[in-house]
Amino acid sequence: MKKQDNILIIGAGLCGSLLALRLAQRGYKVEVYESRPDLRTTDISAGRSINLALSDRGFKALRLAGVEEKAREICIPMYGRLIHDIEGNTFASNYSGRENEYINSISRGDLNGILLTEAEKHENVTIHFNSKCTSVDIENTIANFKSYETKEEFSVNVDVIFGTDGAGSILRKSYYLEKKFLFSYSQNYLTHGYKELEIPADINGKHQISKDHLHIWPRGDYMLIALPNLDGSFTVTLFLGHEEGAYHFEGLDSEEKIKDFFQAQFPDALKLIPNIAEEFANNPTGALGTVKCSPWYYKGNTLLMGDAAHAVVPFYGQGMNASFEDVTVLDEILNQNLGSWDATFKGYQKVRKKDADAIGDLAVENYYEMRDHVANPLFKEKRKLEMELEKNFPNEYFSKYSMVTFNENIGYHEAMTKGRAQDKALLNMVADNDLRDVSDLKEVLKRVQKETNEILEEDKIAGL
Amino acid sequence: MKKQDNILIIGAGLCGSLLALRLAQRGYKVEVYESRPDLRTTDISAGRSINLALSDRGFKALRLAGVEEKAREICIPMYGRLIHDIEGNTFASNYSGRENEYINSISRGDLNGILLTEAEKHENVTIHFNSKCTSVDIENTIANFKSYETKEEFSVNVDVIFGTDGAGSILRKSYYLEKKFLFSYSQNYLTHGYKELEIPADINGKHQISKDHLHIWPRGDYMLIALPNLDGSFTVTLFLGHEEGAYHFEGLDSEEKIKDFFQAQFPDALKLIPNIAEEFANNPTGALGTVKCSPWYYKGNTLLMGDAAHAVVPFYGQGMNASFEDVTVLDEILNQNLGSWDATFKGYQKVRKKDADAIGDLAVENYYEMRDHVANPLFKEKRKLEMELEKNFPNEYFSKYSMVTFNENIGYHEAMTKGRAQDKALLNMVADNDLRDVSDLKEVLKRVQKETNEILEEDKIAGL
């Protein structure tokens, strides 16, 4: 484990480019190979989310690499959800009772561009575009590529390979196919898919609906969301069953059916999406999958990071943040000077795995919450109470959402465990009307804390 | 969906041979292809469990196919666990407080042989041995094989293909590789593996330890178990970490180390295993994995059943029973006359999937219970109380184990959900000493039922 070690990173997406930057800052020699062309000079956004939610875990990693401020410059703060009901009424629901806590809409491409430019400022970083990884020989740390420019195949033999090549990772596939070790692996798809549409800016280049919110049109079995872009437009995403339910992607096969569906379910949104039929036909329908696997490493030779190790569905707005946090955690393990890449990778997975698993589970869970629960009276009352608690006891009460999104020093797993117990306590107290006669909010806080601790204790005794 | 449909079954193991028998009884034309030679005339036990636990779900399916009595003739009843501590003391722990509830040790090969012979009695069944399935064209329902006898490759084009080809299913692999649909898939390995050893019969051909029990030597991080065979021997299985823990398979690489390990941890068992060093070296170390996937079917063309659809770890003694129950459930769906194989397969998965998932989870959970909890005072006290409840209220109280093992008319999922809540209620009541002053057992039953229902209700309100 020496600074002279040749490090190869597969994939110059968000995780790969931040990793390259950070490893370069630590003095390593880094070669990055990316299958796509340079996104700073080519438009290659098709089929990928155009904007993403950036929050505190992401900022912590960007801060570590000295690029937090550059990222903040292109952020649009979203302070809460704006729920659109079927009649066109809207209801705001803040993400936190604390004023300084909000999430940010940011362009994937712009942020990726910043990270690439920062990484390339380092002499010890080289980025090769249009180089598609086709397989990895994990025993001999050789990565095989095909150049999309010259069409030639070539191999690179290095000391260590990082796979930050996304949900469809080739390094991960090599683990699966090479069968050199027992590889636990799962890919789980939701029955729903997604399609991106656009609400353009108005004639003055301004946003047509509030840019301070993440917009949601929850309809039970399907849902529309919209995040603002800097140019005044919104990226809209429809989440809908592939082939199940009253409406589904397979069934929406004509302009008439698409417009009828939107007219019936999202009439206010339909008015804002002028090219809906064309976009619906041309934009791909994406799958929503969760990937988990273990081990992430093979000896001290290779390591999976980011979506390649733990792809998550987008419903907690944490995919990018979790990938960036991987870099933070790896950096902490590198600080421990464990002496070998093998020990470093083992140490990294030992700390990181339970948190990566947790955000995968939280994201699926939030899918149901966003679709169903935001319209459920019990959940609404609970949410209202939590806002009051956060507002009045900013240093004592943190909702599950706040722990996951704004508390970058609590791991996802701890946030999930504590957050779930807290949710269960609150929902049952609300359902049982336990808090009806409690006028003192401090007393409410105490009871919620007591009930939450009891739930955690009872689970522990049951070995859960 | 006609009786003239040509049905092909891949794999003539326990599930495939019972399925062939039952489909033949229903009048279908069935061709079965099995990679191994005929186990009735060849010894091919190496590397597979020699005996298995058969219980009520298995019997229900065998009864449906008219072979229950034949199976009972080769069963050895095991009424409970016999726990061996490190000093060689033993403690019996019945599986149920009801006298007629016990599990059975049965030879995999003998039972499989009975099913093959019964299936072959039907004119409309043909079984081809030594025919290894290499791939399946799921769109055109063509299965490709290689003959181990002639070395020739051949293809069979049929109307419907059932994949009962076990945990390493080729049909399932074809789903994964063909990418014709979103295939959710997981393979999850425990950090532990297993190795089979033998306690031979004594010189009179008798069992050297009680044949009425499943023997367990629980030691926290590792465990030995033994099930009786009809010939007076026991099949012993060691469960141990592959490469982690104070002792592990990789580390036990010499006769001295193996004997030292057994002498220190299982001294009474060591005395009964004369060929331990030889067997340890020659018998393979097996992996312990859980497989889940969805969908199990492709159109009305193909269906996965048994381990191919849901391989489970052996710790609930339900692997074979779950596979046999698949046949019971499919038979019930066929009785509904849904009109097409497509509708039949959909209907089958809709009923069966949640139960198959549940037994996979229960089996992993029981791994920890068998290793750790049998020696935990809280769990011991709970188990004692449950025996009393089952004995005194045989029609009212059923432990999780009883629901899973002896109540073939409750699905695994319901057994898991209710059983977990009941366990949690009992463990917390025991831990809190809630039942200290309750002398009336009827009152204990009422309190346990009340607490269990409250736990289920609280989970429901929390959306769990």
Side-chain angles (χ1 to χ4, degrees), chain B residues 128-286:
Chain B
H128 311 263
F129 294 97
N130 298 302
S131 303
K132 168 70 184 165
C133 184
T134 52
S135 68
V136 180
D137 174 346
I138 61 176
E139 193 67 59
N140 300 302
T141 50
I142 297 171
N144 302 306
F145 295 93
K146 181 171 180 174
S147 165
Y148 282 146
E149 288 169 324
T150 65
K151 310 291 171 200
E152 273 172 25
E153 299 188 354
F154 62 98
S155 298
V156 187
N157 189 339
V158 293
D159 299 300
V160 186
I161 297 174
F162 288 87
T164 52
D165 48 344
S169 171
I170 296 297
L171 177 57
R172 197 183 66 228
K173 195 176 173 191
S174 296
Y175 286 5
Y176 181 81
L177 294 176
E178 283 205 26
K179 296 191 189 222
K180 285 198 168 288
F181 53 92
L182 294 178
F183 186 48
S184 291
Y185 173 69
S186 71
Q187 58 184 38
N188 279 298
Y189 294 100
L190 299 183
T191 54
H192 284 57
Y194 72 96
K195 192 182 284 281
E196 287 174 351
L197 305 166
E198 193 196 28
I199 297 178
D202 67 16
I203 47 167
N204 302 311
K206 301 283 183 197
H207 294 92
Q208 299 196 59
I209 50 177
S210 164
K211 73 171 173 51
D212 302 327
H213 292 91
L214 189 155
H215 296 261
I216 310 187
W217 291 256
R219 298 292 181 269
D221 198 32
Y222 33 85
M223 164 172 87
L224 206 62
I225 69 166
L227 276 76
N229 296 313
L230 284 174
D231 66 3
S233 68
F234 281 83
T235 302
V236 179
T237 309
L238 170 67
F239 296 98
L240 178 70
H242 288 290
E243 50 187 32
E244 282 169 26
Y247 295 98
H248 45 74
F249 277 116
E250 286 214 347
L252 295 180
D253 54 6
S254 73
E255 182 167 341
E256 195 190 344
K257 285 184 191 164
I258 293 160
K259 286 192 173 164
D260 284 353
F261 170 55
F262 272 76
Q263 186 57 50
Q265 299 297 322
F266 314 110
D268 54 342
L270 178 61
K271 289 191 194 119
L272 302 169
I273 310 174
N275 299 323
I276 191 159
E278 197 188 326
E279 289 182 353
F280 210 95
N282 294 339
N283 294 354
T285 303

Side-chain angles (χ1 to χ4, degrees), chain A residues 282-296:
Chain A
N282 294 339
N283 294 353
T285 303
L288 297 165
T290 304
V291 170
K292 294 181 184 175
C293 62
S294 179
W296 287 335

Side-chain angles (χ1 to χ4, degrees), chain A residues 17-281:
Chain A
S17 55
L18 180 63
L19 177 67
L21 171 57
R22 187 60 199 148
L23 288 178
Q25 289 169 339
R26 294 190 71 108
Y28 290 101
K29 281 195 297 181
V30 184
E31 301 270 328
V32 189
Y33 290 82
E34 164 62 43
S35 64
R36 296 163 190 257
D38 189 341
L39 53 70
R40 292 165 297 181
T41 53
T42 328
D43 179 15
I44 51 162
S45 59
R48 312 183 82 193
S49 303
I50 293 162
N51 52 26
L52 297 165
L54 179 60
S55 52
D56 296 39
R57 291 174 201 271
F59 281 124
K60 183 177 177 182
L62 295 170
R63 193 153 58 240
L64 175 72
V67 286
E68 180 183 12
E69 285 316 309
K70 283 208 165 64
R72 289 213 183 258
E73 283 167 18
I74 57 168
C75 279
I76 304 176
M78 299 182 288
Y79 300 92
R81 298 165 173 169
L82 196 71
I83 316 284
H84 297 247
D85 76 11
I86 203 159
E87 276 90 34
N89 305 308
T90 57
F91 310 88
S93 167
N94 275 11
Y95 282 118
S96 162
R98 282 168 290 270
E99 288 201 352
N100 57 338
E101 292 182 342
Y102 52 85
I103 62 175
N104 300 275
S105 180
I106 191 165
S107 155
R108 173 198 286 268
D110 290 352
L111 179 56
N112 207 154
I114 288 171
L115 294 172
L116 290 171
T117 299
E118 290 301 310
E120 278 186 333
K121 285 181 184 169
H122 293 261
E123 271 187 7
N124 44 343
V125 173
T126 315
I127 305 175
H128 310 263
F129 294 97
N130 299 302
S131 302
K132 168 69 184 165
C133 183
T134 52
S135 68
V136 180
D137 174 347
I138 61 177
E139 193 66 61
N140 300 301
T141 50
I142 297 171
N144 302 306
F145 296 93
K146 181 173 180 174
S147 166
Y148 282 146
E149 287 169 325
T150 65
K151 310 291 172 200
E152 272 172 27
E153 298 187 355
F154 61 98
S155 298
V156 187
N157 189 339
V158 293
D159 299 300
V160 186
I161 297 175
F162 288 87
T164 53
D165 47 344
S169 170
I170 296 296
L171 177 57
R172 197 183 66 227
K173 195 176 172 189
S174 297
Y175 285 5
Y176 181 81
L177 294 177
E178 284 205 28
K179 296 190 189 220
K180 284 196 171 290
F181 53 90
L182 293 178
F183 186 48
S184 291
Y185 172 67
S186 72
Q187 56 183 38
N188 279 299
Y189 294 100
L190 299 182
T191 55
H192 284 57
Y194 72 95
K195 193 182 281 285
E196 286 175 351
L197 305 166
E198 193 197 30
I199 297 177
D202 68 15
I203 48 168
N204 302 312
K206 302 283 184 198
H207 292 92
Q208 298 196 60
I209 50 178
S210 163
K211 73 170 173 52
D212 303 325
H213 293 91
L214 188 156
H215 296 261
I216 310 187
W217 291 257
R219 298 291 181 269
D221 197 33
Y222 32 87
M223 164 172 86
L224 207 63
I225 69 167
L227 277 77
N229 296 311
L230 284 174
D231 66 2
S233 67
F234 280 82
T235 301
V236 179
T237 309
L238 170 65
F239 296 97
L240 179 69
H242 287 290
E243 50 185 33
E244 283 170 26
Y247 297 97
H248 45 75
F249 277 116
E250 287 214 347
L252 296 180
D253 55 4
S254 73
E255 182 166 343
E256 197 189 343
K257 286 184 191 165
I258 293 159
K259 286 191 173 164
D260 284 353
F261 170 54
F262 272 78
Q263 186 58 50
Q265 300 297 323
F266 315 109
D268 54 341
L270 179 61
K271 289 191 193 119
L272 302 169
I273 310 174
N275 299 323
I276 189 159
E278 197 188 324
E279 289 182 353
F280 210 95

Side-chain angles (χ1 to χ4, degrees), chain A residues 334-354:
Chain A
L334 287 170
N335 286 342
Q336 296 174 13
N337 293 313
L338 298 178
S340 71
W341 287 109
D342 192 4
T344 303
F345 294 169
K346 270 206 181 103
Y348 168 73
Q349 173 157 348
K350 200 174 155 83
V351 170
R352 188 61 178 153
K353 176 66 175 154
K354 67 179 185 312

